[in-house]
Amino acid sequence: MSRKTYYITTPIYYPSGKLHIGHSYTTVAADAMARYKRLQGYDVMFLTGTDEHGQKIQRVAAENGMTPKQYVDRIVSGIKDLWQMMKISYDKFIRTTDEEHAACVQKVFKALYDKGDIYISEYEGWYCTPCESFWTETQLVDGMCPDCGRGVEKTREESYFFRLSKYQDRLIKHIEENPDFIQPVSRRNEMLNNFLRPGLEDLCVSRTSFDWGIPVSFDEKHVVYVWIDALSNYISALGYLTGNDEAFRRYWPADVHLVGKEIIRFHTIIWPAMLMALDLPLPRQVFGHGWLVLEGGKMSKSKGNVVDPVILIEKYGLDAIRYFLLREVPFGADGVFSNEALISRINSDLANDLGNLVSRTVAMIRKYFDGLLPGQGEEGEFDAELKKELLGLKHRTEELLDNLQFSLALTEIWKAISRTNKYIDETVPWILAKDESKKGRLARVLYNLAESIRIVSILLQPFMPETPAKIWDQLSIDSDETGWETAGVWGVYKPTRPVRQGEIIFPRIDIEKELEKLSSAVPDTGKDGPGEKGDKKHRSRDAEGSASGDMTQISIEDFAKLDLRVAKVLSAEKVEKSDKLLKLRLQVGAEEKQVVSGIAQYYSAEELAGKTLILVANLKPAKIRGIESQGMILAATDESEGKLTLVTVDGDISPGAKVS
Ligand code: MSP
């Protein structure tokens, strides 16, 4: 029986400059899916490529003294290098300048013309060159392009048109009858309500004012313009309408087109209408993900180091970057990329949770059993619960990945990692090790840790192409113990070879020093590159999404002026004749400090004793109701709900420890 197929695509990228980390978002997500489906045994076709035609490229190439082909060749090789560095496991890279693609587009155009779905007419309107879009007078916003807000040029020329309007009703019906076709649901409603129901206009699909494109075979003064060229890549890559269309018959219709939200309209309206006109089945799903923006604004290559994927990978490693992209933001929503968030994720999730689990387990097997476990040992308390959590993990991860919920799938995996770390605290192997009669139990505890790590590492493969193999090497996990299906089985690990302590898989980063180094990023020049267009609505939404809001930004030097310390409450008492004030005596390292704080309405003096808080230790002392206050303790307040809660630390740490 032949294997089930899975066809996934990314958009084809504009080759007009270096890509930033936001660009890699779609491709990393598609790669995770492709890897996952391959691991499950599917016959996968993962397509990506470049969208190389158009007036803008022709102009930029001329400005650089090159032919358009010379210009795109140079940039496309840079894009391919980046994908190689990011271990993007595409099966085919299509370029719209490929001969086979051009031949297919010409045939598609002719087929639609013969059918009467493409006709000649005249276009008069406004043209936005960066967006390669025509607009009518009424569509302009303050005389500017409604997509990008830039200037437009008046144009009048003979053009071919695609009868998009003819497919409106069939499209609405298809979208209504297939709730999974457009995901997430919010984008589906947006397409129906904002574009389809108000009515579609026919679409201009050829140009005569430039020639960097695919000529219309029966009318060579026209070149096929943007969407019929670009969108056809999904079928031309499979050999559609060529002598060899075996791949097309095998993989079409696509299982999912992954695209950014700004191009979802083209993929859920124009593309399906083209397919309907060609009598081809529609893709099963178009998933429109959100945008990754920088705090305070959209991402742009001119932001320098901060968003340069090559620099980020060289600094922090590929798996850390891929993990951050897939974990930080729920897939579908907009998210903020910041170096600080990236480093915190690396330190807490990767270095602490996962990295420590592996290194502690290997270290204990080495210390207590000279690196080689004597079989599975004796069962005991806590084993069943750990086993249950880990055994359900594969199923939970698969369910979420099948819905492209990368972040939630990783959250599940991290819950299992935390459960495993908790198992160490529960079973306290170092105490078992002190008693010779508990050796069998100790062996079992360490076996269970290794087995949990084996399961987790198998499930991490779609997200991280490098780390699982490093873990297997350290724990001497054999290749026959790492099959995808074995992640759902307990007791597969055979400790027959000694474990070895390798290098630390995710070293901790000194966040303060690192942020200081990174703050030397090049300032934004405001220049736009490809992939940064988007309609005004998206832009303002992105700006609203910024965590910094309207607050003045501070530099890392400003922040470093604060001396924040962990402080333990020794005692607390009410300040006489005040409803609001409490006087606290705090232990801060070897010192004791006295602080007056307005928290009496939220905390009683009794419940504060023993709490570990955060103190601004270098605040100038002040007298409050005649009592000296030597600093300020931090609290979070929600004024709308009248709530206040003190900021405290997660875990045991000595008073006086610096907070940064
Ligand atoms: N050439 C068109 C697509 C044609 S598909 C038939 C195009 N190219 S692009 O280079 O501008 O964008 C490629 C992909 O990168 C898109 O999915 C886009 O959404 C994504 N991203 C570019 N910048 C992005 C962020 N800052 N964040 C997330 N993804 C973004 O559009």
Side-chain angles (χ1 to χ4, degrees):
M1 208 182 83
S2 71
R3 280 191 299 157
K4 270 179 83 176
T5 61
Y6 184 77
Y7 181 26
I8 183 164
T9 69
T10 72
I12 43 174
Y13 283 70
Y14 289 123
S16 36
K18 239 173 133 188
L19 299 186
H20 57 61
I21 191 74
H23 285 115
S24 67
Y25 192 56
T26 329
T27 309
V28 165
D31 183 64
M33 263 338 260
R35 284 174 184 270
Y36 160 56
K37 288 290 165 188
R38 279 188 208 112
L39 286 162
Q40 279 191 322
Y42 281 74
D43 167 3
V44 171
M45 166 57 88
F46 169 18
L47 176 72
T48 189
T50 40
D51 182 3
E52 305 183 16
H53 292 126
Q55 190 164 11
K56 184 175 172 192
I57 288 182
Q58 190 166 3
R59 272 194 199 168
V60 180
E63 281 160 23
N64 283 281
M66 286 184 234
T67 65
K69 186 69 166 78
Q70 285 168 333
Y71 175 76
V72 290
D73 278 353
R74 211 189 44 175
I75 297 177
V76 169
S77 89
I79 294 179
K80 283 188 169 172
D81 288 348
L82 176 64
W83 294 156
Q84 195 178 359
M85 187 177 191
M86 298 196 86
K87 300 218 159 102
I88 302 299
S89 61
Y90 58 79
D91 296 290
K92 182 167 170 103
F93 190 101
I94 187 166
R95 299 182 56 175
T96 52
T97 48
D98 289 342
E99 266 174 39
E100 304 77 41
H101 172 76
C104 174
V105 168
Q106 288 183 322
K107 288 183 187 157
V108 164
F109 201 94
K110 178 79 168 37
L112 298 178
Y113 180 75
D114 290 344
K115 193 176 173 187
D117 276 347
I118 282 183
Y119 61 92
I120 191 112
S121 181
E122 197 173 63
Y123 196 94
E124 189 182 294
W126 297 91
Y127 187 66
C128 173
T129 308
C131 294
E132 318 232 15
S133 299
F134 281 113
W135 303 104
T136 58
E137 187 80 40
T138 51
Q139 285 174 315
L140 299 182
V141 175
D142 300 331
M144 301 292 186
C145 169
D147 254 1
C148 72
R150 283 173 283 203
V152 285
E153 292 162 32
K154 181 97 182 194
T155 338
R156 184 191 169 91
E157 67 181 62
E158 182 190 86
S159 291
Y160 284 95
F161 282 77
F162 172 54
R163 261 185 234 288
L164 188 59
S165 55
K166 174 175 159 190
Y167 293 95
Q168 174 178 323
D169 294 341
R170 271 180 69 187
L171 280 168
I172 294 178
K173 189 162 176 277
H174 183 82
I175 294 170
E176 282 175 345
E177 285 174 1
N178 295 276
D180 285 339
F181 179 60
I182 307 179
Q183 283 294 320
V185 177
S186 56
R187 312 236 188 264
R188 173 170 176 262
N189 297 339
E190 189 185 336
M191 292 306 121
L192 282 171
N193 299 336
N194 299 2
F195 299 105
L196 281 158
R197 291 193 180 117
L200 296 175
E201 281 174 24
D202 290 351
L203 186 76
C204 171
V205 289
S206 80
R207 299 288 312 274
T208 55
S209 56
F210 64 92
D211 56 14
W212 181 236
I214 299 170
V216 172
S217 57
F218 50 90
D219 190 353
E220 294 230 334
K221 68 177 185 297
H222 285 261
V223 290
V224 181
Y225 145 84
V226 185
W227 295 106
I228 292 216
D229 170 16
L231 288 162
S232 298
N233 91 88
Y234 301 128
I235 49 177
S236 74
L238 302 179
Y240 176 65
L241 294 184
T242 66
N244 181 6
D245 67 353
E246 202 188 313
F248 177 75
R249 283 183 281 116
R250 181 155 187 71
Y251 296 108
W252 191 259
D255 290 270
V256 59
H257 292 312
L258 266 194
V259 300
K261 65 183 184 184
E262 81 287 9
I263 51 176
I264 194 146
R265 178 155 63 101
F266 305 111
H267 284 82
T268 58
I269 297 178
I270 302 175
W271 177 227
M274 277 172 63
L275 291 166
M276 284 174 177
L278 292 168
D279 289 319
L280 292 178
L282 305 194
R284 296 199 176 88
Q285 185 169 83
V286 179
F287 194 106
H289 65 71
W291 272 31
L292 221 52
V293 296
L294 288 178
E295 271 178 7
K298 74 183 164 69
M299 203 169 276
S300 118
K301 287 160 296 195
S302 46
K303 295 257 162 73
N305 293 356
V306 188
V307 295
D308 184 331
V310 175
I311 292 177
L312 289 170
I313 293 165
E314 277 167 357
K315 263 177 170 305
Y316 307 117
L318 174 63
D319 280 3
I321 301 299
R322 288 179 53 126
Y323 174 75
F324 180 83
L325 291 174
L326 296 170
R327 173 72 195 265
E328 187 69 3
V329 188
F331 203 62
D334 289 334
V336 177
F337 177 89
S338 78
N339 288 112
E340 198 173 347
L342 169 66
I343 298 169
S344 323
R345 281 268 176 218
I346 294 176
N347 282 348
S348 70
D349 301 6
L350 301 180
N352 262 7
D353 299 345
L354 176 62
N356 274 348
L357 174 63
V358 175
S359 61
R360 284 169 90 190
T361 303
V362 172
M364 288 192 286
I365 298 176
R366 278 162 55 98
K367 186 165 172 198
Y368 304 137
F369 293 98
D370 284 333
L372 191 60
L373 286 175
Q376 297 199 9
E378 278 164 37
E379 279 196 40
E381 203 188 349
F382 311 112
D383 294 6
E385 204 191 305
L386 177 76
K387 209 166 140 179
K388 188 166 166 241
E389 168 85 25
L390 268 294
L391 276 181
L393 184 60
K394 173 172 173 279
H395 179 67
R396 293 195 297 278
T397 308
E398 287 182 328
E399 253 183 3
L400 291 162
L401 278 182
D402 284 335
N403 290 310
L404 294 115
Q405 289 307 319
F406 306 101
S407 172
L408 295 178
L410 283 168
T411 306
E412 280 301 319
I413 296 177
W414 252 257
K415 271 193 214 156
I417 293 173
S418 299
R419 181 67 195 85
T420 313
N421 275 319
K422 189 172 155 211
Y423 178 77
I424 302 183
D425 298 339
E426 290 166 339
T427 52
V428 277
W430 48 93
I431 298 199
L432 295 174
K434 288 189 183 145
D435 184 344
E436 197 50 39
S437 70
K438 304 240 168 83
K439 273 265 154 141
R441 176 64 188 142
L442 178 61
R444 181 63 173 210
V445 166
L446 298 183
Y447 178 87
N448 286 347
L449 290 175
E451 185 61 350
S452 303
I453 295 172
R454 183 190 67 83
I455 291 177
V456 161
S457 63
I458 292 173
L459 299 175
L460 279 178
Q461 292 174 95
F463 312 92
M464 298 185 176
E466 294 175 344
T467 305
K470 288 185 189 166
I471 296 177
W472 300 337
D473 185 51
Q474 296 201 13
L475 277 164
S476 290
I477 295 175
D478 239 347
S479 56
D480 64 350
E481 296 156 1
T482 59
W484 184 259
E485 289 311 315
T486 70
V489 185
W490 192 265
V492 172
Y493 178 50
K494 298 179 293 298
T496 52
R497 287 165 304 131
V499 303
R500 39 174 180 266
Q501 200 91 48
E503 60 185 53
I504 293 181
I505 34 182
F506 292 106
R508 265 192 88 77
I509 298 165
D510 183 330
I511 191 161
E512 216 167 296
K513 281 200 196 135
E514 197 64 22
L515 289 177
E516 216 166 314
K517 273 194 257 158
L518 285 164
S519 61
S520 56
V522 188
D524 186 6
T525 60
K527 256 168 88 184
D528 270 359
E532 286 138 15
K533 64 185 173 137
D535 57 32
K536 285 203 163 155
K537 205 166 52 192
H538 290 155
R539 285 184 175 211
S540 58
R541 207 184 302 152
D542 292 341
E544 279 162 24
S546 150
S548 57
D550 285 328
M551 299 276 271
T552 314
Q553 295 194 331
I554 61 163
S555 70
I556 188 76
E557 287 81 9
D558 291 333
F559 178 73
K561 287 182 193 156
L562 286 175
D563 185 19
L564 299 175
R565 298 281 168 170
V566 171
K568 189 160 186 173
V569 183
L570 296 171
S571 65
E573 60 182 272
K574 285 201 81 170
V575 170
E576 267 183 26
K577 296 190 196 133
S578 166
D579 294 335
K580 293 192 180 148
L581 297 177
L582 285 180
K583 184 171 88 180
L584 279 69
R585 216 156 50 78
L586 303 172
Q587 178 80 48
V588 190
E591 267 192 294
E592 268 187 40
K593 289 205 171 212
Q594 169 177 292
V595 167
V596 178
S597 179
I599 54 172
Q601 287 169 322
Y602 306 96
Y603 289 89
S604 68
E606 295 70 38
E607 70 179 308
L608 281 173
K611 275 201 187 298
T612 307
L613 306 177
I614 306 296
L615 173 77
V616 185
N618 59 341
L619 199 66
K620 260 195 199 149
K623 285 235 160 127
I624 304 176
R625 296 276 174 107
I627 307 169
E628 176 162 300
S629 181
Q630 302 158 329
M632 181 175 90
I633 53 169
L634 297 186
T637 42
D638 184 344
E639 282 172 4
S640 61
E641 289 199 55
K643 271 193 189 155
L644 177 146
T645 166
L646 287 165
V647 177
T648 175
V649 287
D650 176 23
D652 234 355
I653 190 152
S654 310
K658 191 164 171 49
V659 178
S660 51

